[in-house]
Amino acid sequence: MLKGKHILLGITGGIAAYKAANLASMLVKLHADVHVIMTKNAQQIISPVVFEALTGNKVADDVFDRNSGYQVAHIAMAQEADVVMIAPASANIIAKLANGIADDMLSTTMLAVTAPVYLVPAMNTHMLEHPATQANIARLKTYGYHIVEPASGFLACGDSGKGKLPEADELVEYLLYEAAYEKDLAGKKVLITAGPTREALDPVRFLTNHSTGKMGYALAKDAVRRGAEVVLVTGPVSLPAPLYAKTVPVTTAQEMYEAVNAHFDGMDIVVMSAAVADYRPSHTAAEKIKKTGNASVLELERTTDILASMSARKNGQFLCGFSMETEHMLENSRAKLAKKNLDMIVANSLRMEGAGFGTDTNIITILTKDHTQELPKMSKDEAAHAVFSQILRLL
Ligand code: CTP
């Protein structure tokens, strides 16, 4: 996803510097060309050898290094960067950048950077909350720096509070947003549903299905990375909220219907990837079971078909459904495409290995009225990308 992208990673002397190794490794796995500048203090915490082994590039730490491989290293490194991230960013580098101080390789290079910069402050809570640090951060925002909010939790100094370096996968998400794809969905409003729904049998038990939400969340991330304005209506899942998407949590099919209905007008693209429970216990059945303790009286009623309801009141939206089939995948999916009057349906078979619930991969077939595109097994991220690429071709 980051092939051909040049990422400059600045590492300063916070204890979280060791976590930057994981970040560098993840970026290399995404095929980025990662170049690292470390401060002298960062090298007290983690050796530059770690980053040289992970990235295959020499770590820069000295403006006057005659063996850097560059003619004027700080200018060349600044100009080559597509995006810059300083993680962890200490109070010291924040103060230097806010005041234009250039007294080492990192601070000097940063003055010459014109690419987008993400600063990830990580330090003791009191240092972070000090008015000087807060004033410096506020000033850096006015210079156009992106500040990634530190996480809260148990800090290395023994205190608890704000100041932790966020997990590497969260930091990678900012870089993917900045550099992974062209913004070919810019200006588009996209509504996505994800995850399962739950229908209560009583205050303790519920009916649900095996959906983990991975496909829907991959769709939301892909749309955000391509510049769309995204609303994600999600059933209960244990996935982190996608960056920059408006996430609307719901539990039941009725709540999902209401959330989709409330956001539907003004959307350009609606993708229903949620595994909505088709049935819920009728109230009377649930009450009867409670009274009698006899589960054989359980009666089910159909939930509202959200997709069909939206299709009936469509006013310009591109409507894409998902279908999960155990047999006759193409015939059943084609029938749903027609019955629900959709622009597209993405079919996947629950019987194929590497497709369906819980896996990180999927095997999808994209169907429209006159076109069938069978895709090989791929990651859910890649499948999501293929879905939006196909939608873009048809818009
Ligand atoms: N869907 C919906 N509301 C429901 C049930 C399904 O919006 N109450 C949507 C799903 O999110 C999916 C599409 O309809 O995008 C097809 O879902 P699926 O369960 O495969 O189809 P059903 O019409 O429910 O048919 P069946 O379960 O009988 O196969």
Side-chain angles (χ1 to χ4, degrees):
M1 274 191 252
L2 292 171
K3 199 170 171 50
K5 297 294 172 184
H6 193 116
I7 295 177
L8 179 57
L9 202 56
I11 303 170
T12 69
I15 197 73
Y18 77 94
K19 291 190 184 172
N22 194 17
L23 174 60
S25 162
M26 287 176 79
L27 294 172
V28 169
K29 283 185 190 143
L30 290 165
H31 307 290
D33 187 11
V34 182
H35 292 259
V36 175
I37 301 180
M38 295 179 81
T39 62
K40 297 280 181 217
N41 286 345
Q43 293 172 51
Q44 299 284 336
I45 292 161
I46 182 165
S47 165
V49 175
V50 174
F51 295 97
E52 291 180 346
L54 288 170
T55 66
N57 292 317
K58 188 169 189 273
V59 169
D61 63 355
D62 179 5
V63 185
F64 300 105
D65 179 3
R66 296 199 310 281
N67 300 313
S68 69
Y70 294 103
Q71 204 171 2
V72 184
H74 61 281
I75 302 296
M77 290 187 83
Q79 282 174 354
E80 279 173 358
D82 291 304
V83 54
V84 180
M85 179 170 271
I86 303 186
S90 62
N92 189 41
I93 191 75
I94 288 169
K96 285 204 244 179
L97 297 181
N99 291 284
I101 293 171
D103 66 350
D104 65 1
M105 181 64 186
L106 182 59
S107 53
T108 307
T109 305
M110 291 308 291
L111 273 187
V113 162
T114 53
V117 177
Y118 287 77
L119 284 186
V120 195
M123 64 196 76
N124 166 274
T125 308
H126 299 302
M127 292 173 75
L128 180 68
E129 285 173 354
H130 193 285
T133 308
Q134 288 301 312
N136 289 331
I137 288 175
R139 192 192 285 186
L140 288 172
K141 283 184 186 166
T142 70
Y143 296 167
Y145 283 72
H146 303 280
I147 308 293
V148 178
E149 276 292 298
S152 294
F154 186 73
L155 303 171
C157 55
D159 282 358
S160 267
K162 205 168 165 186
K164 265 170 86 81
L165 193 77
E167 294 305 321
D169 46 4
E170 190 187 324
L171 300 181
V172 167
E173 203 50 50
Y174 287 95
L175 298 171
L176 286 173
Y177 173 75
E178 198 59 57
Y181 301 125
E182 248 182 79
K183 299 285 178 270
D184 52 7
L185 282 172
K188 299 278 183 255
K189 291 189 173 179
V190 178
L191 173 63
I192 295 164
T193 66
T197 56
R198 283 181 188 167
E199 306 300 333
L201 286 163
D202 61 29
V204 181
R205 285 154 281 252
F206 50 81
L207 289 178
T208 191
N209 56 64
H210 292 293
S211 169
T212 55
K214 282 184 182 171
M215 191 63 228
Y217 276 58
L219 287 160
K221 283 195 269 185
D222 190 76
V224 165
R225 289 172 193 157
R226 296 168 84 154
E229 198 183 308
V230 177
V231 176
L232 174 66
V233 176
T234 173
V237 298
S238 51
L239 296 170
L243 186 68
Y244 299 138
K246 177 182 170 186
T247 303
V248 183
V250 296
T251 304
T252 63
Q254 184 57 25
E255 286 169 8
M256 184 169 278
Y257 166 74
E258 282 162 20
V260 170
N261 197 36
H263 288 90
F264 190 70
D265 286 325
M267 286 293 155
D268 297 296
I269 302 168
V270 176
V271 184
M272 278 284 308
S273 75
V276 186
D278 285 329
Y279 303 100
R280 66 173 165 231
S282 67
H283 288 301
T284 47
E287 279 153 22
K288 267 192 222 162
I289 294 173
K290 219 163 150 196
K291 273 199 201 126
T292 61
N294 178 4
S296 65
V297 295
L298 178 59
E299 290 157 16
L300 298 175
E301 62 189 20
R302 281 204 86 98
T303 55
T304 310
D305 189 321
I306 305 168
L307 197 46
S309 313
M310 294 307 119
S311 174
R313 55 162 289 212
K314 200 162 101 146
N315 47 11
Q317 295 83 352
F318 184 99
L319 215 51
C320 172
F322 265 66
S323 78
M324 281 262 180
E325 306 294 339
T326 45
E327 54 193 4
H328 309 303
M329 183 183 83
L330 291 183
E331 297 90 301
N332 288 347
S333 302
R334 267 193 206 108
K336 281 177 195 172
L337 178 78
K339 192 176 101 195
K340 301 196 188 193
N341 190 24
L342 307 177
D343 297 294
M344 180 188 273
I345 195 153
V346 179
N348 46 115
S349 164
L350 281 176
R351 290 204 192 277
M352 286 190 204
E353 193 160 328
F357 294 133
T359 57
D360 287 324
T361 55
N362 210 351
I363 306 168
I364 59 168
T365 301
I366 301 178
L367 298 155
T368 56
K369 200 152 77 64
D370 6 70
H371 194 247
T372 301
Q373 185 189 16
E374 278 186 58
L375 294 170
K377 180 158 122 182
M378 53 179 65
S379 70
K380 285 189 169 163
D381 282 351
E382 288 166 325
H385 198 69
V387 168
F388 279 115
S389 294
Q390 188 59 16
I391 291 176
L392 268 171
R393 271 180 225 123
L394 296 168
L395 275 187

